[in-house]
Amino acid sequence: MNRIKQWIEQGPLLVDGGMGTYFSSKEHLPGSGCEMASIEKPVLISAIHREYLEAGARVIKTNTFAANRPTYRHTETVRRIIRASWNLAVRAAAPFGAEVFADIGPVTGLPPAAAAREYRFIVEEFLSLGAENFLFETNADDTGLDEAAAYIRSKAEDPFLAASFAVLPDGYTRSGIFGEDLIRDLTARGNFDAVGFNCVSGVRQMARLLEDMDLEGVTLSIMPNAGYPTVVGNRTFYDSDPVYFGRGLAEIAARGASIIGGCCGTTPAHIAAAREELTKKSRDLRSAPGRSRSEALAAGEEEDRVPESPFFEKLRAGEMPVAVELDPPETADVRKYMDGAARLAAAGCDLLTIADCPVARARMDSTLLACRVKRDLGMETIPHLTCRDRNLNATKALLLGLSAEGLRNVLVITGDPIPTAERDEVKSVYQFNSRKMAAFIRGLGRKSFPVPFHVFGALNLNARNFDVELRIAREKVEAGMVGFFTQPVLSRRALENLKQARRTLQPAGAYIIGGIIPVVSQRNALFMENEINGIHVSQEIIRRYEGLDRDAAEALALELSVKIARDMAPFIDGYYLMTPFGRTKLMARIIAGIRG
């Protein structure tokens, strides 16, 4: 039986601390990669391993965190680093009877298939050297991990595989995925023996994080930082006292962590302090774990339920609600906008949707405007949230505010790119795509909101390759989206794609809110056909507007919109009307036509 598996059955297993930061402190260097030191300064790397072992670590990690081709470019260079690092670690561990983890950091900047191939390349190098124990650490998601683990298990007789995710103190990775979800999903798939967290958070933040999670039955690996970093003169320092760190780490072990160690800023002194505290604590003195949220629910102590979304309730009841999109104003004067919104509410609009800076041009913030409409008019709203302009922190802060304001629905889209001519002045932020943001919001819902948001997405019925669009839509449903607002139907092809979407997405439980935009002139039709991405207007419709004045064109818009609504009705769960040029009177007539 693998020795690490035997050891963790006997009690918490202590691993070494942060090689990179300790190396940098010894060399008086900025915090940068130290993997080449296994080749260039082997005596120093061996000495660091030995210090950690003398401090009490029973497992050390190879000096290979960033040993991958995206970082070091050349295949042979990576192979040399892995070989040298492995040999140094094995030789250092042998006199102490210790074990070695093949340490593999995240492979970033590659698409999933390429990342999986890179992990396999790294794993093959370690396997050729006799590695049996692997640690995949500091990950933001699980891309490529299962593939790498399955490959190791196909080649090694009895390996020990651990994976660790870097989470902020609120429990989310930089990819916006909730750490508890990552741990549970990876554990459920059965390829890893231990799963847990490392880096970013200090020992106390990590302990509080674990208190809020329900991870019963998981073999946990926990390796915090030595507190928060301080940058002085381009160098990074961690000031956490070793005794403080050791006590906190021992408490984490007492709460059930099977593998413990240190990450950035931890030194042999921190590991020695942890070893001393572990020897003081018996497992009988383990602190009582905090109750999970599910236990609080069972005890009836959870907060009173707050109102649900009337729009979503109508969707669920099959009542075909009507949502209307009204673009936010370009100035701070909202009087005209509020008048138009009130007109739509009076006409029977169930939900007002508000775009988020359409075509990447600044307008009034969709979320603030949504709150204003809800407060002043009592009208339910759904703001669009683009992935373009907010990072993880800004997104979470915004969602907390929206929840407090009583909003229950959001429409998540990637967002139009910044026009080329403005990119030197206006910078895009794309920490998320729409699937990652949906998963982030879903994860937040269990911890941060009295009622989780209903997350909707966009579905382009006019996509050139609609099979790909549907595949992505299914991935969005898996990420937590409950339904889709579609691009407008203005052609037979779009209607056929809508039928296909119904067949594909209805079994997955996703609602479809069918898009309708009234064409108000031939010029408008030509503009949408030629210049608006995601909209296709048939030539038949374009020809019908030839020579019409405004009144006649609006009459035709009403006729066509009502007809399209009736054609799509068997394949949708609600209507999504898009207001052209602020013409809310026309939209009120269309709502009446659909309702009639």
Side-chain angles (χ1 to χ4, degrees):
M1 182 179 180
N2 184 290
R3 282 211 298 170
I4 291 182
K5 294 178 183 178
Q6 291 178 331
W7 287 347
I8 63 177
E9 288 181 357
Q10 299 164 6
L13 177 62
L14 186 60
V15 184
D16 63 4
M19 169 64 79
T21 50
Y22 192 45
F23 170 84
S24 295
S25 70
K26 281 181 169 291
E27 291 292 282
H28 304 290
L29 295 171
S32 58
C34 62
E35 292 79 16
M36 283 300 296
S38 293
I39 298 170
E40 298 170 349
K41 298 186 178 183
V43 174
L44 177 56
I45 296 301
S46 293
I48 291 174
H49 285 318
R50 190 166 53 252
E51 285 187 59
Y52 278 120
L53 290 161
E54 290 171 347
R58 300 185 74 186
V59 179
I60 58 174
K61 304 184 291 288
T62 57
N63 180 32
T64 52
F65 175 79
N68 55 62
R69 288 176 293 190
T71 300
Y72 283 95
R73 304 293 182 183
H74 301 295
T75 298
E76 190 54 35
T77 299
V78 176
R79 285 182 172 143
R80 289 177 62 211
I81 291 171
I82 291 175
R83 284 196 297 268
S85 299
W86 173 258
N87 290 332
L88 291 174
V90 169
R91 285 200 294 267
F96 294 87
E99 288 289 335
V100 175
F101 268 134
D103 189 49
I104 303 174
V107 177
T108 58
L110 297 177
R117 288 193 297 270
E118 185 63 20
Y119 280 132
R120 177 164 173 166
F121 160 72
I122 297 167
V123 161
E124 285 176 337
E125 293 301 314
F126 276 116
L127 288 171
S128 71
L129 296 167
E132 296 179 343
N133 309 309
F134 292 79
L135 171 62
F136 296 81
E137 63 161 313
T138 324
N139 296 285
D141 54 46
D142 58 2
T143 300
L145 297 185
D146 278 311
E147 294 88 339
Y151 182 75
I152 293 169
R153 293 196 180 281
S154 73
K155 299 295 183 181
E157 183 176 342
D158 188 22
F160 186 89
L161 306 182
S164 187
F165 299 98
V167 294
L168 296 163
D170 63 0
Y172 291 85
T173 72
R174 66 177 182 273
S175 294
I177 305 174
F178 191 47
E180 183 178 341
D181 292 339
L182 284 167
I183 286 181
R184 288 203 162 280
D185 290 347
L186 209 61
T187 300
R189 294 197 290 270
N191 284 321
F192 284 87
D193 300 288
V195 187
F197 302 126
N198 76 292
C199 206
V200 183
S201 294
V203 65
R204 293 299 176 189
Q205 291 78 26
M206 198 79 82
R208 285 198 293 268
L209 182 65
L210 293 171
E211 287 177 2
D212 292 334
M213 294 184 176
D214 185 3
L215 296 173
E216 186 178 352
V218 177
T219 301
L220 273 177
S221 170
I222 303 295
M223 301 182 192
N225 283 352
Y228 286 111
T230 301
V231 178
V232 179
N234 293 323
R235 292 181 59 200
T236 302
F237 296 90
Y238 293 81
D239 295 329
S240 176
D241 176 70
V243 174
Y244 175 88
F245 178 87
R247 288 174 181 168
L249 199 61
E251 289 174 8
I252 287 174
R255 289 178 177 270
S258 298
I259 300 173
I260 55 173
C263 200
C264 296
T266 53
T267 68
H270 291 83
I271 299 305
R275 167 54 62 194
E276 184 175 349
E277 291 296 326
L278 286 171
T279 59
K280 290 179 182 177
K281 287 181 178 287
S282 70
R283 297 187 73 85
D284 293 335
L285 297 176
R286 178 182 302 178
S287 302
R291 287 190 303 172
S292 68
R293 189 170 189 261
S294 59
E295 290 171 326
L297 278 169
E301 297 176 5
E302 206 48 17
E303 64 271 24
D304 292 337
R305 301 302 289 172
V306 296
E308 244 286 14
S309 158
F311 172 78
F312 191 78
E313 288 298 320
K314 286 188 176 183
L315 278 180
R316 191 150 46 195
E319 296 179 11
M320 297 289 282
V322 174
V324 180
E325 180 173 310
L326 186 60
D327 284 345
E330 296 177 344
T331 72
D333 187 350
V334 296
R335 289 173 296 181
K336 182 179 179 182
Y337 188 91
M338 297 299 286
D339 288 344
R343 181 178 295 113
L344 294 172
C349 170
D350 296 291
L351 180 79
L352 190 72
T353 87
I354 306 174
D356 184 2
C357 295
V359 298
R361 304 286 186 181
R363 287 176 176 256
M364 187 173 291
D365 184 87
S366 61
T367 58
L368 293 175
L369 186 56
C371 295
R372 172 74 180 269
V373 170
K374 184 177 185 300
R375 283 197 305 269
D376 288 6
L377 302 179
M379 187 178 191
E380 191 172 12
T381 55
I382 178 170
H384 300 199
L385 297 183
T386 69
C387 303
R388 179 190 58 238
D389 298 326
R390 300 178 186 92
N391 64 12
L392 184 150
N393 281 351
T395 300
K396 181 179 179 181
L398 178 63
L399 290 165
L400 290 172
L402 290 178
S403 180
E405 287 282 355
L407 273 69
R408 301 288 173 252
N409 306 288
V410 290
L411 175 57
V412 172
I413 57 176
T414 299
D416 301 314
I418 299 293
T420 303
E422 297 182 3
R423 288 178 188 168
D424 288 339
E425 299 178 1
V426 182
K427 302 299 182 183
S428 296
V429 175
Y430 278 108
Q431 186 166 2
F432 294 109
N433 60 31
S434 56
R435 283 158 285 180
K436 286 184 177 181
M437 187 184 281
F440 176 57
I441 297 172
R442 178 182 62 182
L444 276 176
R446 288 197 295 273
K447 303 292 181 181
S448 303
F449 310 130
V451 174
F453 282 99
H454 304 298
V455 182
F456 292 86
L459 181 67
N460 184 5
L461 298 176
N462 303 297
R464 291 178 182 272
N465 190 336
F466 193 62
D467 288 337
V468 172
E469 183 77 6
L470 281 181
R471 174 180 59 78
I472 294 172
R474 288 194 295 269
E475 292 174 0
K476 290 178 179 180
V477 173
E478 292 170 2
M481 290 191 183
V482 299
F484 298 92
F485 286 72
T486 79
Q487 289 283 35
V489 172
L490 289 168
S491 67
R492 289 188 177 88
R493 186 186 75 186
L495 184 60
E496 290 304 312
N497 286 343
L498 176 62
K499 296 176 184 178
Q500 184 182 351
R502 185 64 163 186
R503 292 192 297 269
T504 301
L505 297 176
Q506 189 175 38
Y511 297 104
I512 297 178
I513 300 92
I516 301 170
I517 187 168
V519 177
V520 295
S521 68
Q522 189 175 62
R523 181 179 178 181
N524 175 225
L526 290 169
F527 178 81
M528 288 193 291
E529 169 64 11
N530 291 285
E531 299 197 40
I532 302 296
N533 184 38
I535 296 182
H536 170 55
V537 185
S538 70
Q539 289 302 310
E540 176 187 356
I541 289 177
I542 293 172
R543 284 194 296 269
R544 290 191 64 180
Y545 281 86
E546 187 174 355
L548 299 184
D549 60 19
R550 175 168 175 152
D551 290 341
E554 282 206 359
L556 180 56
L558 172 62
E559 174 192 334
L560 291 177
S561 296
V562 172
K563 180 182 184 303
I564 290 169
R566 290 172 180 164
D567 289 343
M568 65 167 57
F571 315 108
I572 61 175
D573 301 287
Y575 300 102
Y576 170 36
L577 310 181
M578 297 162 231
T579 308
F581 310 111
R583 297 191 189 181
T584 53
K585 291 181 180 179
L586 171 60
M587 304 311 289
R589 294 170 63 196
I590 293 173
I591 293 172
I594 292 172
R595 297 287 196 198

